[in-house]
Amino acid sequence: MSEQPGIVITGASGRMGQMLIRIVADSPKARLVACLERPGHDWIGRDVGVAMGGGEIGVTVTDDALQAFADAQAVIDFTAPAATVEFAGLAAQARAVHVVGTTGLSDADLARLEAAARHAVIVRAGNMSLGVNLLVQLTRKVAEALDEDFDIEVVEAHHGGKVDAPSGTALMLGHAAAEGRGVTLEDVADRGRDGITGARTRGQIGFSAIRGGDIVGEHDVIFAGPGERVILRHVATDRAIFARGALKAALWGQEQKPGQYDMMDVLGL
């Protein structure tokens, strides 16, 4: 068998799925061994390169996750919570690294991932880009330095097809800000304002979500104090940054012991 780890891409027809397929197929460090779609999808049984509008690449789209994972060393998964928790169990059985970029996971979903991580490596992050993970670190540091005289707002923008809000990245930033303040995000988050809401509560971390067009991803963390504001910002213009980060995580995970990790671990931050 080749020394290059075999990678499975789930949700092959999605925006991220197609980008991941291109990145992995072109990588000299990994092999694309399978592409998954839900049962009944019209890509099933087709060469994924042709389905994407190009030439054949020798990988047929399948709905048989069990068989696909059995032949792989890693699974990269940007799908939906219900699918991700099912894939986590199958990846654990196969002892394959499971890279999870899925957002909107509930506490019950996270508990199932934690159980799967006892048997295999799971790398989960709301955002796989280097820039965003540096922004998370900066957010924590600024929150440590500025007291509650500075209100914190996390503002995010994504394309109109995104189904969850706040984004996983926004929540990462919110958690970082809360950690910097020494509080728990769930205790101070303000995720929606409508109508006569009254004055802002001191110490809360607010979230605003913008959805429209083909916005890849924009995130601002605003520290608004008396007479001044500090604004930390990241703008993504190409989904390839997330795909490259996910592939980096899949390769990094080959050398790790079972457990849950994030991109801070992968990037050594």
Side-chain angles (χ1 to χ4, degrees):
M1 184 180 73
S2 170
E3 293 184 359
Q4 297 171 337
I7 310 289
V8 176
I9 304 300
T10 67
S13 69
R15 288 183 178 90
M16 273 305 303
Q18 294 189 49
M19 179 61 71
L20 286 161
I21 289 164
R22 294 187 182 98
I23 292 293
V24 174
D26 290 343
S27 173
K29 298 179 180 180
R31 298 172 296 124
L32 181 67
V33 296
C35 295
L36 280 175
E37 259 302 343
R38 62 186 182 276
H41 195 281
D42 60 9
W43 281 25
I44 301 297
R46 299 175 64 191
D47 183 279
V48 72
V50 174
M52 290 169 54
E56 291 189 1
I57 64 174
V59 177
T60 301
V61 181
T62 180
D63 60 3
D64 187 347
L66 183 62
Q67 182 58 53
F69 291 8
D71 298 331
Q73 285 71 54
V75 177
I76 302 180
D77 176 19
F78 285 70
T79 53
T84 291
V85 294
E86 180 180 349
F87 293 149
L90 296 175
Q93 290 180 41
R95 301 300 189 264
V97 174
H98 188 191
V99 178
V100 178
T102 302
T103 57
L105 295 159
S106 67
D107 289 343
D109 297 330
L110 294 175
R112 291 181 65 180
L113 293 188
E114 184 177 355
R118 291 198 287 267
H119 307 285
V121 171
I122 293 180
V123 182
R124 183 178 67 86
N127 193 299
M128 301 282 177
S129 85
L130 172 60
V132 161
N133 282 279
L134 289 173
L135 178 61
V136 170
Q137 294 284 64
L138 290 170
T139 297
R140 184 181 292 108
K141 289 295 186 182
V142 174
E144 287 176 358
L146 300 178
D147 64 20
E148 290 185 351
D149 285 341
F150 283 79
D151 297 322
I152 302 175
E153 290 283 317
V154 181
V155 182
E156 54 102 343
H158 286 86
H159 57 87
K162 186 169 178 61
V163 299
D164 61 309
S167 70
T169 303
L171 292 172
M172 284 173 62
L173 294 166
H175 280 291
E179 289 170 10
R181 287 268 171 93
V183 297
T184 301
L185 180 60
E186 288 71 18
D187 294 334
V188 298
D190 182 357
R191 299 195 184 188
R193 303 187 183 104
D194 186 31
I196 308 301
T197 60
R200 179 191 177 104
T201 301
R202 180 179 171 86
Q204 282 191 336
I205 297 175
F207 291 86
S208 298
I210 297 166
R211 296 289 178 267
D214 60 356
I215 301 170
V216 174
E218 300 178 5
H219 295 85
D220 293 288
V221 185
I222 303 170
F223 296 83
E228 61 182 332
R229 282 174 290 168
V230 177
I231 302 174
L232 306 178
R233 183 163 219 235
H234 181 270
V235 177
T237 58
D238 186 348
R239 278 184 187 80
I241 64 172
F242 311 128
R244 286 192 290 268
L247 176 57
K248 183 179 181 70
L251 297 175
W252 176 87
Q254 301 302 309
E255 305 300 324
Q256 310 308 315
K257 296 179 180 179
Q260 286 206 73
Y261 303 90
D262 59 22
M263 284 303 289
M264 299 295 183
D265 299 309
V266 175
L267 298 171
L269 296 176

